[in-house]
């Protein structure tokens, strides 16, 4: 397994004494992140700020490198929405919530980059809907968690995701959370498909590079990982640990010295 790339995150020289709440308030018209007029405080978020986009706007971060923010939330509250597209800029933040009870979308493409600790996609309630799209650039940090317990979608066509802890596609109690990878590379010590619910992931092309890779874990029901192309490279693959997990290989390459089917007890069911 290749070691994840960990990038240093530095704060800009313009700081505030205390973290401020800075809300995008253009009335849903969207615009450029670096436009001071678009923000409630009259200036672009500075180091330690909490940035929020939930007025229905689509905001573009291009050619701008943020200082280290405290957090970014896209959609906050049921019925709200907010989107952020990063094509040539760099977002540095401790955390990102994509759809906190509302409908949020985060996209990284081109030469865009995100350096963070954690990303949560579709969090904090069954009304949460979140989409993470990666078409280029990079996401670097500790972990990405999908659906807790909302409805999450993941689409990757290029770029790199480099994590030091985990990539987890959870399942909500009601929703079937979907992920598709058509290219790019995910590097993470732990990759989990289906934890506490139903999730499906299809690898068409690209690479997943993990130490521990599991499908169907922690009482999740019926989660499936399908490899139609590309490469799954893992030190250990676990299918159906205390749950129902299915690994389907239609093409591509699976590289592992160890694979366990329904290994953790009578409640585990596995298909390969």
């Amino acid at each position: 397994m290749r070691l994840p790339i960990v990038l240093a995150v530095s704060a800009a020289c313009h700081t505030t004494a205390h973290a401020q709440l800075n809300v995008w308030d253009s009335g849903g018209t969207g615009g450029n992140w670096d436009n001071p007029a678009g923000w409630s405080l009259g200036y672009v978020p500075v180091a330690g700020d909490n940035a929020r986009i939930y007025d229905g706007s689509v905001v573009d971060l291009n050619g701008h490198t943020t200082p280290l923010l405290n957090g970014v939330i896209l959609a906050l509250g049921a019925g709200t929405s907010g989107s952020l597209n990063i094509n040539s800029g760099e977002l540095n933040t401790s955390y990102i919530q994509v759809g906190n009870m509302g409908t949020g979308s985060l996209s990284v493409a081109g030469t865009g980059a995100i350096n963070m600790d954690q990303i949560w996609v579709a969090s904090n309630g069954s009304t949460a809907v979140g989409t993470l799209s990666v078409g280029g650039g990079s996401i670097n940090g500790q972990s990405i968690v999908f659906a807790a317990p909302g409805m999450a979608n993941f689409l990757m066509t290029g770029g790199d995701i480099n994590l030091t802890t985990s990539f987890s596609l959870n399942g909500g109690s009601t929703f079937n959370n979907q992920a598709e990878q058509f290219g790019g590379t995910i590097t993470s010590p732990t990759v989990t498909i289906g934890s506490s619910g139903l999730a499906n992931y299809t690898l068409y092309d690209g690479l997943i590079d993990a130490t521990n890779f599991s499908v169907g874990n922690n009482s999740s029901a019926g989660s499936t990982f399908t490899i139609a192309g590309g490469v799954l490279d893992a030190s250990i693959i676990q299918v159906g640990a205390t749950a129902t997990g299915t690994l389907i290989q239609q093409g591509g390459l699976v590289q592992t010295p160890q694979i366990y089917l329904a290994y953790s007890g009578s409640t585990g069911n596995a298909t390969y």
Side-chain angles (χ1 to χ4, degrees):
M1 172 183 170
R2 297 195 303 271
L3 291 175
I5 301 171
V6 179
L7 301 182
V9 178
S10 61
C13 59
H14 181 192
T15 62
T16 55
H18 302 285
Q20 299 291 317
L21 177 62
N22 207 349
V23 180
W24 184 270
D25 64 354
S26 69
T29 59
N32 295 317
W33 176 285
D34 58 358
N35 178 15
W39 295 98
S40 61
L41 296 181
Y43 58 79
V44 177
V46 297
D49 275 1
N50 294 291
R52 307 286 187 263
I53 302 170
Y54 55 80
D55 67 344
S57 288
V58 178
V59 177
D60 297 312
L61 197 163
N62 295 321
H64 177 86
T65 298
T66 74
L68 179 58
L69 307 177
N70 184 60
V72 175
I73 297 180
L74 308 175
L76 178 60
T80 67
S81 63
S83 300
L84 177 62
N85 300 323
I86 305 172
N87 295 310
S88 61
E90 182 176 309
L91 175 63
N92 299 299
T93 182
S94 296
Y95 72 86
I96 305 172
Q97 294 180 1
V98 185
N100 182 331
M101 297 185 287
T103 300
S105 175
L106 175 63
S107 173
V108 184
T111 59
I114 297 175
N115 302 310
M116 54 77 197
D117 290 333
Q118 296 173 317
I119 296 177
W120 291 281
V121 182
S123 63
N124 198 23
S126 60
T127 61
V129 178
T131 299
L132 175 61
S133 301
V134 183
S138 64
I139 298 177
N140 311 286
Q142 294 181 14
S143 65
I144 300 177
V145 178
F146 294 85
M151 182 171 67
N153 296 285
F154 173 63
L155 175 64
M156 187 173 192
T157 58
D160 297 287
I161 296 177
N162 306 293
L163 304 174
T164 59
T165 304
S166 62
F167 178 99
S168 181
L169 182 68
N170 294 336
S173 58
T174 304
F175 304 112
N176 184 352
N177 297 296
Q178 301 288 336
E180 294 181 303
Q181 183 178 348
F182 293 89
T185 298
I186 297 174
T187 302
S188 177
T190 300
V191 174
T192 302
I193 309 301
S195 178
S196 303
L198 179 63
N200 292 297
Y201 193 117
T202 302
L203 175 64
Y204 294 97
D205 201 358
L207 170 66
I208 297 177
D209 188 359
T211 302
N212 295 291
F213 181 91
S214 63
V215 184
N217 192 18
N218 192 27
S219 300
S220 59
S223 295
T224 300
F225 179 83
T226 301
I227 177 167
V231 178
L232 169 60
D233 189 346
S235 300
I236 299 174
I237 296 177
Q238 303 165 348
V239 183
T242 66
T244 299
T246 300
L247 175 62
I248 300 172
Q249 186 173 6
Q250 299 173 339
L253 178 64
V254 176
Q255 298 182 149
T256 181
Q258 301 178 80
I259 184 167
Y260 297 93
L261 304 178
Y263 71 98
S264 190
S266 59
T267 58
N269 296 286
T271 303
Y272 175 44

